[in-house]
Amino acid sequence: LLVDTFTGPTLAVHFIDVGQGDGALIVTPGGKHILVDSGPGHGVGNLTRYLEALRVNALDLVINSHAHADHITGISTVLERVSAKMALDPGLVHPTKPYEDMISAFETRKVPMKIARKGRVITLEDGIVITLLAPEDPLLKGTRSDLNANSVVFRLDYGEISFLFTGDAEEG
């Protein structure tokens, strides 16, 4: 487990090994923490150890790219250790236990869930902006994988630096 200490006005984007699936942590210069996906259940140990090593005890935002288990299963365990202020989700219900557990974890901890849609802009701090690029209304239906096709896709901008987060987006 490698964790660096950053000083000054540095935006840090950590890509955490959660096995199959995604887990990323955005840390702004002002100390805001944004978790992008929480990986599968078997990878959550790496994620929680990483958050502990960085001394993260609160998440300002949790972004669920989509409802497949390898992207959301870890959030229940994460929320047992840290608080969250808000969650962003594509809003496409997936009748599975990991999805139900995720919804239950947010409800139990009174974390408001907002629906992600193209065009929404979230200013994290002065000069640090998240712009949602997908999904669009109406959501895509009848694709190879509606969950993947409706992934939350967003661009994180900080000055001249940009990061693109795509979940498992694919052609609709």
Side-chain angles (χ1 to χ4, degrees):
L1 180 67
L2 176 64
V3 178
D4 292 322
T5 303
F6 298 97
T7 59
T10 302
L11 174 75
V13 180
H14 304 259
F15 294 95
I16 304 159
D17 182 3
V18 293
Q20 179 180 332
D22 291 335
L25 179 70
I26 300 164
V27 182
T28 68
K32 290 190 177 169
H33 297 94
I34 296 85
L35 180 65
V36 182
D37 287 338
S38 58
H42 65 271
V44 74
N46 280 349
L47 177 58
T48 56
R49 283 189 295 278
Y50 204 95
L51 294 174
E52 287 170 7
L54 289 176
R55 296 189 176 109
V56 175
N57 55 23
L59 298 168
D60 294 278
L61 178 62
V62 175
I63 300 174
N64 301 315
S65 65
H66 65 292
H68 279 141
D70 60 336
H71 292 261
I72 63 166
T73 304
I75 195 62
S76 297
T77 302
V78 169
L79 291 177
E80 290 171 4
R81 292 168 171 77
V82 302
S83 63
K85 293 180 182 171
M86 187 173 85
L88 197 58
D89 187 85
L92 185 58
V93 175
H94 191 45
T96 62
K97 180 151 178 34
Y99 183 81
E100 291 170 4
D101 289 347
M102 177 196 73
I103 296 297
S104 177
F106 286 133
E107 287 176 350
T108 299
R109 287 159 186 84
K110 297 180 177 29
V111 178
M113 286 187 67
K114 304 290 183 180
I115 301 298
R117 287 297 177 266
K118 180 180 180 177
R120 184 176 194 161
V121 176
I122 302 167
T123 301
L124 299 173
E125 291 176 12
D126 189 34
I128 304 175
V129 177
I130 288 175
T131 304
L132 298 182
L133 306 173
E136 293 187 52
D137 264 330
L139 293 174
L140 297 171
K141 293 182 182 173
T143 67
R144 188 195 69 77
S145 170
D146 288 352
L147 291 176
N148 286 350
N150 290 294
S151 284
V152 175
V153 176
F154 69 94
R155 188 181 66 238
L156 171 67
D157 294 305
Y158 181 44
E160 295 181 17
I161 307 289
S162 295
F163 294 86
L164 181 65
F165 292 82
T166 62
D168 283 346
E170 55 188 51
E171 275 188 84

